[in-house]
Amino acid sequence: MALERKTDSAGQALGEESARLREQLTSMNEALMLSSVRQHELAGTAQKLIEKLQAEIAERKQAEAALRESEARYRTLFDLGPVAICFCDVSGVIRDFNRTAVELWGRQPKLGDTGERFSGSLKLYRPDGTFKPHEQCAMAEVLSGKIPEVRDMETLIERPDGSRITVLVNIRPLKDERGEISGAINCFIDITEREHAERARPKLAGSGASAEDANHSNALECHATSRTRGRRRTVAFPSSHVLGHRLT
């Protein structure tokens, strides 16, 4: 009788242990299934994020390629254009210039050289021939805010070989988002031959030249020249429109 009670007690305990184990196994299976579902969801979300990131990277690469292409076109136009261009920061340090500027200056200044400011020319002179220090040139006045801009100002440039040319200068300031001057751009062209033609006209008129010579003088063309890649590029203006007037 006692043995039967012990046997029944052991069987009941074994059954309870088996039930507990089944519950634990069921809970583990449910947890594994839930974890698998969550992993699948996380994997799907991660894949979407990866695809979105790849699309953004591709778009950014395309935008960068387009920007590089645009910059290349601008640089080509900047370097090969017939007008000399020079950019200075607000302190007057030269930050960029094109080949035409080098050809008109007769020299190539070093970019970012703080000892050379406002112009890459060796020396500057006023139209009357008086010397003009770089610190008093039009670029310096625009950068300081003394004058708002420069339009069609005649200036003499002296080159390292001693020769001088007359250039027509136009300067515009560059401003930041706060409206403060951050630099300026100088665009200038060589009008030396135009100046020579202007000086030659009164001599022809006063020399008693023939009517044919006078007519030839009236038909004389004034040339504003620029040099690009070692070649002379000429823009012609009828003397009746230019001689005695400033080129605009």
Side-chain angles (χ1 to χ4, degrees), residues 46-197:
Q47 182 62 30
K48 290 179 180 178
L49 290 174
I50 291 172
E51 291 175 355
K52 183 178 180 181
L53 180 60
Q54 289 175 338
E56 289 179 353
I57 292 174
E59 290 177 0
R60 183 174 300 177
K61 287 183 177 179
Q62 290 177 354
E64 291 175 350
L67 179 60
R68 286 193 298 269
E69 184 178 351
S70 176
E71 290 177 345
R73 288 195 298 267
Y74 162 76
R75 174 54 61 176
T76 300
L77 178 63
F78 181 78
D79 283 336
L80 301 183
V83 176
I85 303 173
C86 174
F87 165 66
C88 295
D89 63 21
V90 68
S91 64
V93 176
I94 299 173
R95 295 301 179 185
D96 205 357
F97 50 79
N98 64 359
R99 297 180 184 179
T100 306
V102 172
E103 291 166 359
L104 295 189
W105 289 332
R107 59 187 298 271
Q108 183 168 339
K110 183 179 179 180
L111 291 177
D113 185 358
T114 57
E116 186 170 19
R117 301 191 301 156
F118 306 118
S119 174
S121 58
L122 181 65
K123 294 180 181 179
L124 295 172
Y125 295 86
R126 298 178 180 85
D128 62 4
T130 57
F131 176 69
K132 180 193 295 183
H134 281 43
E135 293 76 13
Q136 298 177 13
C137 72
M139 174 64 82
E141 292 183 338
V142 170
L143 289 173
S144 67
K146 185 177 180 180
I147 56 177
E149 62 181 24
V150 173
R151 291 180 179 271
D152 298 338
M153 175 183 288
E154 292 186 11
T155 298
L156 298 179
I157 290 177
E158 182 173 310
R159 297 164 165 174
D161 63 2
S163 63
R164 293 184 183 181
I165 61 172
T166 302
V167 296
L168 202 63
V169 175
N170 286 272
I171 302 175
R172 302 290 185 277
L174 300 174
K175 297 184 179 181
D176 58 23
E177 62 277 4
R178 294 173 297 180
E180 298 178 355
I181 295 176
S182 59
I185 293 180
N186 181 6
C187 299
F188 52 104
I189 60 173
D190 182 359
I191 59 168
T192 305
E193 292 187 17
R194 192 199 81 176
E195 294 295 301
H196 291 166

Side-chain angles (χ1 to χ4, degrees), residues 5-18:
R5 285 197 297 269
K6 288 182 179 180
T7 301
D8 291 341
S9 178
Q12 183 179 359
L14 182 59
E16 291 175 354
E17 182 66 21
S18 296

